[in-house]
């Protein structure tokens, strides 16, 4: 039940982030949408590692049930790649702002014509 | 033509909802009817042999820096590439204008707090094989510390903080030492980035001196990630001379 709830929340976040990426004119909003999608992917990875009554995969005496450590390691990878993507997106936003004085893509498109 | 067109907000919602509707059943199905954790070959092997194979009790770190250390080297390269690309895109043309520092109150508070803020990332990096954490997380915490100091004092050097040159050195040294630590395995005749097989001592798992090469790799990654994030941050916020 808890796993299903996490999966539903992750997919909902993914959709919200995707809507932000697809439907925004403001480049900062697109960056925020990207970040939300990354977070959703991490939540989904952690949800797929879950198993009932299990501890985080850090071995401790007296505990013999742990969740799958592999998706957690991949989540770290996803976080790092996400940080790199966010930095690149923000750098492009800064470039557009320097060139056009705005981060509104509709305005940028109007100027380009 | 107006762009985005009037219906595009609705279209974005419809597309996203369709995406979610397609994805949700598949994920729920995989969670309820897929291979349970106990029967996954990789998971059970890591959980069973992780301690003896790597000497680390934090199995996430064990996967990241022992079983899949080569992946992690690639991951560190991604950060390196991102920092290089951000630097190239936002190449400072004018001289950077120092931003005004925050109020004396904030600076006084920061002066008292910064030494304490150092404890957290350093502990996270050094105990990456024992507790949740490691080079990536501790590196990010270190970067946040440096960004806080930058924000409070206006310019990086005013706080006696690290300059851009020191950042570059820290980033390169982090990447190079990760790469060089991997060579130990080659010299020992096993494989690149080998851990215990390359003769590193496992120590007694659960103590600070354990996990073979893992703590050293964590320190290298911590330096690298912190330096790369701070340099990306500085490139992004750096104010230019008026460029219309």
């Amino acid at each position: 039940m808890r796993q299903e709830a996490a999966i539903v929340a992750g997919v909902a976040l993914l959709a919200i982030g995707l809507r932000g990426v697809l439907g925004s004119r403001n480049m900062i909003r697109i960056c925020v949408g990207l970040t939300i999608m990354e977070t959703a992917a991490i939540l989904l990875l952690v949800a797929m590692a879950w198993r009932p009554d299990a501890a985080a995969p850090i071995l401790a005496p007296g505990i013999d049930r742990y969740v799958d450590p592999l998706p957690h390691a991949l989540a770290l990878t996803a976080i790092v790649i996400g940080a790199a993507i966010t930095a690149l997106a923000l750098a492009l936003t800064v470039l557009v702002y320097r060139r056009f004085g705005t981060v509104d893509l509709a305005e940028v498109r109007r100027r380009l014509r | 033509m107006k762009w985005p067109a009037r219906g595009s907000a609705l279209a974005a919602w419809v597309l996203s909802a369709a995406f979610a509707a397609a994805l949700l059943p598949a994920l729920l199905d995989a969670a309820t009817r897929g291979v349970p954790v106990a029967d996954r070959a990789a998971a059970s092997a890591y959980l069973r042999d992780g301690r003896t194979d790597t000497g680390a009790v934090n199995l996430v770190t064990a996967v990241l820096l022992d079983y899949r250390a080569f992946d992690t080297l690639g991951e560190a390269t991604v950060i390196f590439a991102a920092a290089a690309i951000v630097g190239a895109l936002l190449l400072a043309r004018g001289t950077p204008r120092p931003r005004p520092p925050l109020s004396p109150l904030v600076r006084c508070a920061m002066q008292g707090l910064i030494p304490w803020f150092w404890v957290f990332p350093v502990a996270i990096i050094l105990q990456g094989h024992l507790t949740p954490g490691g080079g990536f997380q501790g590196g990010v915490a270190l970067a946040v510390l440096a960004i806080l100091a930058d924000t409070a004092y206006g310019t990086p050097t005013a706080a006696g903080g690290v300059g851009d040159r020191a950042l570059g050195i820290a980033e390169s040294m982090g990447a190079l030492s990760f790469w060089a630590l991997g060579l130990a395995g080659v010299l020992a005749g096993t494989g690149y980035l080998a851990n215990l097989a390359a003769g590193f001592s496992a120590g007694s798992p659960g103590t600070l001196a354990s996990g073979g090469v893992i703590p050293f790799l964590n320190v290298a990654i911590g330096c690298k990630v912190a330096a790369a994030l701070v340099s990306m941050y500085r490139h992004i916020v750096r104010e230019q001379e008026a460029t219309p």
Side-chain angles (χ1 to χ4, degrees):
Chain A
M1 189 58 223
R2 275 195 282 179
Q3 189 180 24
E4 277 87 347
I7 290 175
V8 170
V11 171
L13 278 176
L14 212 55
I16 291 169
L18 187 64
R19 189 251 168 253
V21 172
L22 291 179
S24 303
R25 308 191 329 185
N26 187 325
M27 289 184 76
I28 300 283
R29 281 182 167 218
I30 295 179
C31 295
V32 173
L34 271 178
T35 317
I36 295 176
M37 287 182 80
E38 282 157 28
T39 317
I42 295 159
L43 178 58
L44 287 175
L45 274 171
V46 173
M48 298 314 274
W50 185 83
R51 79 200 262 208
D53 302 319
I58 294 170
L59 301 175
I63 303 177
D64 58 349
R65 265 175 88 82
Y66 298 97
V67 300
D68 187 349
L70 187 53
H72 287 251
L74 295 180
L76 260 171
T77 312
I79 293 170
V80 171
I81 308 294
I85 290 174
T86 308
L88 277 183
L90 285 174
L92 290 174
T93 309
V94 169
L95 272 188
V96 167
Y97 183 78
R98 277 188 198 160
R99 175 87 193 274
F100 297 99
T102 176
V103 290
D104 186 335
L105 285 175
E107 177 72 14
V108 169
R109 185 175 250 233
R110 197 181 60 74
R111 299 262 187 93
L112 280 175
R113 215 181 339 249
Chain B
M1 187 189 88
K2 251 179 87 178
W3 182 84
R6 205 171 295 272
S8 73
L10 181 68
W13 270 122
V14 170
L15 268 175
S16 314
F19 174 72
L23 187 63
L24 188 59
L27 280 177
L28 285 176
D29 197 50
T32 49
R33 292 197 303 166
V35 183
V37 173
D39 296 338
R40 294 179 196 165
S44 42
Y46 292 147
L47 290 172
R48 191 183 58 238
D49 306 328
R51 186 200 288 260
T52 44
D53 279 356
T54 68
V57 290
N58 181 352
L59 290 176
V60 179
T61 303
V63 171
L64 210 64
L65 292 178
D66 186 315
Y67 292 114
R68 291 169 176 253
F70 203 66
D71 282 4
T72 307
L73 181 64
E75 199 180 326
T77 314
V78 168
I79 286 269
F80 197 76
I85 294 170
V86 169
L89 281 178
L90 300 178
L91 202 60
R93 282 183 298 267
T95 47
R97 226 180 329 151
R99 279 161 296 126
L102 298 181
S103 72
L105 201 63
V106 175
R107 278 176 287 149
C108 273
M110 284 299 291
Q111 227 152 32
L113 285 174
I114 281 180
W116 297 103
F117 283 168
W118 272 97
V119 177
F120 177 61
V122 170
I124 283 191
I125 292 175
L126 290 182
Q127 304 195 352
H129 52 310
L130 306 176
T131 56
F136 287 106
Q137 298 92 318
V140 172
L142 260 185
V144 169
L145 170 66
I147 290 170
L148 260 178
D150 272 21
T151 315
Y153 292 95
T155 49
T157 41
V162 280
D164 287 348
R165 203 181 145 74
L167 272 185
I169 293 175
E171 188 173 3
S172 310
M173 287 311 289
L176 279 177
S177 48
F178 193 111
W179 175 79
L181 282 167
L183 281 183
V186 177
L187 294 178
T190 50
Y192 191 64
L193 281 168
N195 183 6
L196 299 188
F200 290 104
S201 152
S204 60
T207 59
L208 192 59
S210 67
V213 76
I214 290 177
F216 302 101
L217 290 179
N218 263 331
V219 171
I221 291 176
C223 285
K224 218 215 104 39
V225 168
L229 288 183
V230 174
S231 85
M232 285 196 274
Y233 163 80
R234 283 190 183 161
H235 273 111
I236 288 173
V237 300
R238 181 167 284 163
E239 293 194 34
Q240 291 295 121
E241 302 289 276
T243 40

